Amino acid sequence: MRLFILFIADILMASQTIGTNEHIAFSILLLLIIILIVINRRPVKNRNQKLIYTQNKNLAKLNLVFFQNKVENGDIIKRLGLFFKVLHAKAAQNNNSIIFNYSPRQARYFSANFKAITNITHNLICFVNKSVSNSSILLSIKPTKTKDEYQISIKTSANINSNEIQTALDDNNKNINYKYLHIASNYANLIGSKIEFSSKPNSSIFSFNITMHKLNNPLNIKSVIQKNALIAYESQTEFFTLVAELSVYGISTQPNPSWESVKNHIMDMLYKPDFLFIQAKIVKNLPYSEINLIKEWQKIKKFKIITISDNSNYDKIASSLGDATLHQPYTADELFEIIKYPPPTPSPNA
C-alpha cells in the first residue's frame, strides 16, 4: 500500500511539469486504478460463497451458479446417477458398498433444485465413506407426509461416533476432515433445508428434506416377467434391496442369501432359476471346483449369471464370471436392462 501511495505521488508531481492534456490523461489513469482496487477489495456478499471459497482452494473452481436457488425440470434418477461411477471407485478406499434404493414405481420427473440436491447427497456420502470401512451405505429417497416433500437419507451399517459432526453441520467446525459436511450443510441451507444426524450402536443416519414438484405420475409397472432368481449376497441390506427391486418386475427370489443355500437350489433338479445374482466378493472366495459347478449347472438349466461388484476392488473378479455385471450403486434402469433380455444359450464348448 505504501508503494502505491508513492506511485500516486510521483504521478501528481509529474503532472505539474506537463501540459493540460497530459494532466487529464494521468488523472483518468489514476481514476481507473482506484476503481480497480475498490472492485478487487469489495467483500463477498454471499457468506456461503466466501466460506466455501476459503475452505479449500480447489473448491474455488466451483461454478457460482451452484449457489443460486435455481429450480429446473429433470429426472432425479439420472441426476443422482451421474455421480455413481465416481462413488463406485471411492467406495474401494475403505472397502465399502454404496447402495441406491429408489422404487421403480415412484415418480422420477420433478421440478427441483437438482444441483443443490445432488451436491448435498454426494458430499454426505463422501463423508460417510471416509468415516466407515467394510460397511454398507444405503442411499434412499422416500416421500414424507407433506405434499411435494421428500426425505433423502444416507444410512450406514456402522456407528459414526463423533462429537464434531454436529458442530460441522452447524458451521462451527473448520477441521479440514469435515469439509464434506461443511459443503453439504451450506447447500442444504441454500434450499431452506437442514441436515439431521443420528447414531446408534449399529448404524448412523444423515438425512435432509427437499421439495420436489412431480411432473409425472408414478409408473404403473406390470410384472413383465414371471421368473425365478437366486441371490447370493453376504450383506442383508443389499440382499433385501435387490429382492424388492426384482419383485417389482415379477421376479420371485428365495429367502436365504447364503451361498450354501443358493448352491443347493442350483443343484436341485426340481428348481429352475432364470437368474443367478452373485456377489463378486463371494466369487473371490470360492474354490475352482465351486466355480466350475456353477458353469456346469448353467449349461443344464440355462440361467443367466449376474455378478455384483461392491466397489472397484472387485471389478476384475466380477467380469471373470457371468453374463453381466452390476456395479454398486446402480439404478433400477441398469437392473432392468439386464433382466429384460433372455438368458444367453451357453456355448457347447464353454
Side-chain angles (χ1 to χ4, degrees), residues 238-250:
E238 289 159 291
F239 172 74
F240 285 113
T241 300
L242 180 54
V243 167
E245 291 171 337
L246 292 174
S247 66
V248 171
Y249 299 109

Side-chain angles (χ1 to χ4, degrees), residues 72-334:
E72 49 191 340
N73 298 339
D75 180 343
I76 185 67
I77 304 300
K78 288 186 177 179
R79 292 300 182 103
L80 290 174
L82 293 173
F83 291 96
F84 284 0
K85 286 186 178 179
V86 175
L87 293 175
H88 178 73
K90 281 183 173 288
Q93 297 170 359
N94 286 332
N95 202 32
N96 293 316
S97 181
I98 300 169
I99 311 112
F100 180 52
N101 180 23
Y102 190 83
S103 173
R105 286 200 172 99
Q106 293 189 82
R108 55 189 292 172
Y109 295 96
F110 297 91
S111 176
N113 188 331
F114 288 105
K115 288 180 179 177
I117 292 170
T118 52
N119 276 280
I120 298 169
T121 305
H122 179 72
N123 281 285
L124 283 177
I125 292 177
C126 286
F127 175 78
V128 173
N129 182 60
K130 286 187 66 175
S131 303
V132 300
S133 59
N134 301 305
S135 299
S136 298
I137 301 170
L138 180 65
L139 164 63
S140 61
I141 308 174
K142 295 181 180 179
T144 69
K145 294 180 179 180
T146 303
K147 183 182 178 183
D148 294 330
E149 185 181 69
Y150 293 78
Q151 183 178 81
I152 296 182
S153 63
I154 294 95
K155 180 179 180 180
T156 178
S157 55
N159 173 263
I160 305 176
N161 186 15
S162 174
N163 296 328
E164 295 188 77
I165 288 178
Q166 193 57 53
T167 58
L169 291 175
D170 293 338
D171 210 16
N172 295 322
N173 188 333
K174 307 307 179 187
N175 189 325
I176 193 65
N177 295 324
Y178 293 86
K179 66 177 181 179
Y180 288 119
L181 290 187
H182 286 307
I183 299 170
S185 182
N186 278 289
Y187 276 118
N189 292 336
L190 175 72
I191 58 174
S193 185
K194 183 180 180 181
I195 299 172
E196 303 290 344
F197 172 71
S198 62
S199 182
K200 296 179 181 179
N202 296 318
S203 66
S204 297
I205 303 175
F206 288 92
S207 64
F208 61 98
N209 292 351
I210 56 173
T211 299
M212 298 196 299
H213 301 283
K214 284 192 294 186
L215 299 177
N216 72 320
N217 293 321
L219 295 176
N220 183 21
I221 298 176
K222 297 180 180 179
S223 298
V224 292
I225 37 182
Q226 296 294 330
K227 296 184 181 294
N228 298 313
L230 291 169
I231 304 174
Y233 226 126
E234 290 185 356
S235 166
Q236 293 288 316
T237 300
E238 289 159 291
F239 172 74
F240 285 113
T241 300
L242 180 54
V243 167
E245 291 171 337
L246 292 174
S247 66
V248 171
Y249 299 109
I251 299 179
S252 301
T253 55
Q254 294 299 312
N256 196 324
S258 71
W259 167 242
E260 287 302 317
S261 174
V262 169
K263 183 173 69 172
N264 290 336
H265 278 89
I266 290 175
M267 296 185 296
D268 184 351
M269 291 302 298
L270 298 178
Y271 181 79
K272 184 185 180 305
D274 299 285
F275 303 98
L276 168 62
F277 292 86
I278 184 167
Q279 185 183 16
K281 183 179 179 180
I282 292 177
V283 175
K284 180 181 179 180
N285 296 323
L286 289 179
Y288 286 114
S289 59
E290 300 277 91
I291 293 175
N292 290 333
L293 181 145
I294 295 174
K295 293 179 179 179
E296 288 298 321
W297 280 99
Q298 184 188 29
K299 293 178 184 178
I300 297 170
K301 295 189 175 183
K302 297 180 173 57
F303 52 81
K304 187 173 184 176
I305 301 174
I306 301 100
T307 49
I308 305 176
S309 176
D310 288 341
N311 56 60
S312 58
N313 288 335
Y314 297 99
D315 285 354
K316 189 174 181 179
I317 298 165
S319 62
S320 66
L321 174 71
D323 307 301
T325 303
L326 282 172
H327 300 90
Q328 295 281 21
Y330 59 83
T331 66
D333 293 348
E334 295 172 82

